[in-house]
Amino acid sequence: MLTGDASLIKKMNRSLILSTIIEHKSISRAEIAKVTGLNKATISVQVSELLDHAFIVESQLEHKSLGRRPIMLSINEKAGFALGIDLDKTTITFTLADLDGCPVHTDVIDLPVSNYEVIFDILSQQIKVYHSKCEQTHYGLIGVVIGIHGIVDTNEIIYFVPQHGWKNKNLKKDLENELGIYIYIENNANLCSFAEKVYKHHHSNNLLSVSLYSGIGLGFMINGELLKGYHGYAGEIGHMIIVPNGVPCSCGNSGCWEQYASENSLTRRVCQDQQKLDFSFEDILTGLKEQEPTILKEMEHFIEYLAIGLNNLINLYNPEILVVNSELLRLYPNAAEELKAQLTSTISHYSELLVSEFGKKACIMGACALGIQKFLGVSELSLTL
């Protein structure tokens, strides 16, 4: 039985009311009572406080019928802004989003080196720029969430970033000491799954998102919560061995899934087939459009290996929604159908498999959404682009 004192109950009611307003975009007090089951007195007190703190705003609904026009409540989207950052191998992407989760500005900066101090300076300077841009709003820059393409522990310390060779970096503490702003550090695959849940699959409590870029990452939403494991290292599914004594991996093992089913692995194999070291991802897309036989054959192998790993995940977690995040598959006709055709086991069950509509924007949109959730203090967040 869940129990709590008056302050906890008040906090839970506030979270429920605010989540309901965000989900419905515009809703009256009476409708909030119907949706939440809370009494009118509780709603009146909570709404008054939310208005006083500029979290929400009132407006009157236009209608032609007789009688009093209902007063509608909605999130005060311009009261503050969240900054999402995707720290990738060769670029850093910065996206500023309002409290309704809509992007209002994006910058992409090329990374000249992997040196921690250099990248720290770039992050620090850019965050200061965004902080200055938001100063005129009620709450300013409400928080910064950085997506890391590597392993992040439960204390938000970066354990390892293979792309940059970083080990045991406390970027959160370093930036907070420098800037005096709340900083959150999260694994990029976790942010991808969070974006799918918040923006696309609001009512799914069991969602897996598999990202297939330089490696393979897995974000779990189990019972509506991110599943991170004991140390925070859960989701390194790219290092699941699918081919014994196969292609050597940088992790020290051989035959890891990401050596066969990541976009980087496909590019590497096509380069070997074409005997061209400079064969790019864009060249592969062109080859697919032109039905180039070698590339089509490699694409078949790519989907076969991808299906092997997905089958394992389905058997392990029995997800409701399984999202594959890949720019290549997003642009490849019938990708989801070809994957489903290879998932023929009678004991593998899932409700829906699809290719993410976000592509490489998933991480940064998840970062913005997480920043908003942390600031508003809500347990459930449903946004729409």
Side-chain angles (χ1 to χ4, degrees):
M1 181 178 177
L2 181 63
T3 61
D5 60 17
S7 62
L8 176 60
I9 294 171
K10 182 179 179 181
K11 183 177 180 181
M12 291 170 63
N13 289 340
R14 175 190 179 280
S15 174
L16 180 58
I17 291 170
L18 195 50
S19 293
T20 303
I21 293 171
I22 294 169
E23 181 177 3
H24 287 78
K25 296 290 187 181
S26 181
I27 188 171
S28 68
R29 289 168 174 80
E31 285 299 317
I32 292 174
K34 290 180 182 179
V35 171
T36 64
L38 296 173
N39 63 55
K40 293 181 179 180
T42 297
I43 292 170
S44 178
V45 171
Q46 291 284 352
V47 165
S48 178
E49 288 188 8
L50 290 170
L51 286 167
D52 288 343
H53 288 89
F55 283 115
I56 61 175
V57 292
E58 289 181 322
S59 62
Q60 282 196 312
L61 182 67
E62 295 290 338
H63 66 90
K64 297 179 181 179
S65 60
L66 296 175
R68 184 179 177 182
R69 292 180 296 174
I71 296 175
M72 309 302 287
L73 304 170
S74 56
I75 191 73
N76 184 4
E77 60 187 36
K78 303 304 180 184
F81 295 86
L83 180 60
I85 301 175
D86 183 0
L87 176 54
D88 208 341
K89 183 178 182 179
T90 59
T91 59
I92 310 178
T93 304
F94 300 81
T95 291
L96 196 68
D98 63 26
L99 293 187
D100 214 15
C102 293
V104 296
H105 187 82
T106 295
D107 288 309
V108 180
I109 294 179
D110 292 330
L111 286 181
V113 294
S114 289
N115 180 272
Y116 178 79
E117 285 71 25
V118 172
I119 293 176
F120 173 84
D121 286 341
I122 293 172
L123 289 168
S124 177
Q125 292 304 315
Q126 283 298 119
I127 293 170
K128 287 178 182 177
V129 170
Y130 279 104
H131 184 269
S132 177
K133 286 182 178 180
C134 300
E135 280 184 333
Q136 300 306 313
T137 62
H138 192 91
Y139 288 104
L141 188 61
I142 61 170
V144 179
V145 179
I146 304 176
I148 302 295
H149 294 244
I151 303 173
V152 179
D153 72 13
T154 51
N155 295 314
E156 299 180 59
I157 295 173
I158 300 170
Y159 175 72
F160 183 49
V161 180
Q163 295 176 341
H164 296 299
W166 293 358
K167 291 184 179 180
N168 298 315
K169 299 294 185 182
N170 198 339
L171 182 62
K172 173 185 176 71
K173 181 179 177 182
D174 292 343
L175 284 172
E176 287 183 342
N177 287 342
E178 174 76 12
L179 303 170
I181 299 171
Y182 287 117
I183 305 290
Y184 303 97
I185 307 294
E186 186 56 87
N187 169 267
N188 71 301
N190 285 340
L191 292 174
C192 289
S193 67
F194 191 67
E196 297 291 344
K197 161 74 173 171
V198 169
Y199 285 101
K200 296 291 183 180
H201 307 285
H202 301 152
H203 302 293
S204 174
N205 285 326
N206 290 278
L207 179 149
L208 302 184
S209 174
V210 183
S211 300
L212 309 177
Y213 295 104
S214 55
I216 299 180
L218 174 66
F220 310 69
M221 296 294 296
I222 304 297
N223 295 326
E225 300 288 339
L226 278 171
L227 181 66
K228 300 184 181 184
Y230 179 70
H231 294 102
Y233 302 158
E236 293 301 314
I237 201 67
H239 299 288
M240 167 178 60
I241 296 173
I242 64 167
V243 179
N245 302 314
V247 177
C249 182
S250 59
C251 75
N253 286 325
S254 297
C256 292
W257 191 26
E258 68 178 37
Q259 297 302 319
Y260 297 86
S262 65
E263 291 186 351
N264 267 11
S265 71
L266 176 65
T267 304
R268 184 185 67 241
R269 288 196 300 274
V270 171
C271 286
Q272 293 170 348
D273 294 338
Q274 300 286 344
Q275 296 184 339
K276 294 181 180 179
L277 295 177
D278 60 346
F279 207 82
S280 68
F281 182 76
E282 287 70 25
D283 293 329
I284 292 175
L285 293 177
T286 300
L288 286 173
K289 291 177 183 177
E290 296 176 354
Q291 301 286 291
E292 205 283 318
T294 303
I295 295 178
L296 289 176
K297 191 66 178 177
E298 287 295 351
M299 195 67 191
E300 287 180 17
H301 293 321
F302 176 75
I303 289 177
E304 287 172 4
Y305 284 121
L306 179 56
I308 290 171
L310 293 180
N311 182 73
N312 293 341
L313 288 176
I314 291 167
N315 286 335
L316 279 169
Y317 297 106
N318 180 217
E320 179 186 3
I321 308 290
L322 178 56
V323 183
V324 182
N325 192 307
S326 163
E327 193 71 12
L328 177 64
L329 294 181
R330 193 169 69 89
L331 301 173
Y332 182 67
N334 302 315
E337 286 70 23
E338 289 191 25
L339 282 170
K340 291 175 189 177
Q342 302 210 30
L343 300 173
T344 56
S345 170
T346 56
I347 62 170
S348 296
H349 294 94
Y350 61 94
S351 291
E352 187 175 2
L353 185 153
L354 46 89
V355 176
S356 175
E357 298 175 16
F358 281 115
K360 289 191 173 182
K361 294 180 181 178
C363 172
I364 204 158
M365 293 312 301
C368 291
L370 185 59
I372 294 167
Q373 185 187 47
K374 296 280 190 184
F375 172 69
L376 295 179
V378 295
S379 57
E380 291 286 334
L381 186 65
S382 297
L383 301 172
T384 305
L385 288 175

